[in-house]
Amino acid sequence: MCLYAQTPARRNRQVLVDLIAVALIVLTVWAAFFVRDMIMLLAEPGRKVESSGDGLAEELGNAGTRRRTYRSSATS
């Protein structure tokens, strides 16, 4: 079983098309990794904001708990 045609012109075209296909596959994989890296880079500020918001919510919750505790002990 032959992978390519026997005539040189047709074989050359087949090899050229195969090389172009391989190049397009490599380019697509590279582009996918590039896009992934850019998305991860752009996601970092969002992660920092989320972390800051979680910390703020926790501190506000603690402040409310301390305030209720202070009021309870002051009225007693």
Side-chain angles (χ1 to χ4, degrees):
M1 181 177 147
C2 294
L3 293 177
Y4 296 103
Q6 296 299 319
T7 58
R10 182 170 284 168
R11 181 179 53 237
N12 290 340
R13 280 193 307 263
Q14 288 174 335
V15 169
L16 179 63
V17 169
D18 285 348
L19 291 174
I20 290 171
V22 168
L24 286 174
I25 290 168
V26 168
L27 180 66
T28 303
V29 170
W30 176 83
F33 278 111
F34 178 77
V35 168
R36 180 192 174 277
D37 290 343
M38 291 298 105
I39 289 171
M40 297 306 273
L41 183 68
L42 292 172
E44 190 59 33
R47 287 191 200 102
K48 289 180 181 179
V49 168
E50 180 183 18
S51 175
S52 296
D54 290 342
L56 178 63
E58 184 178 340
E59 288 301 317
L60 289 174
N62 292 342
T65 302
R66 286 192 298 266
R67 174 75 176 147
R68 281 191 296 274
T69 304
Y70 174 76
R71 281 185 124 179
S72 297
S73 64
T75 58
S76 298

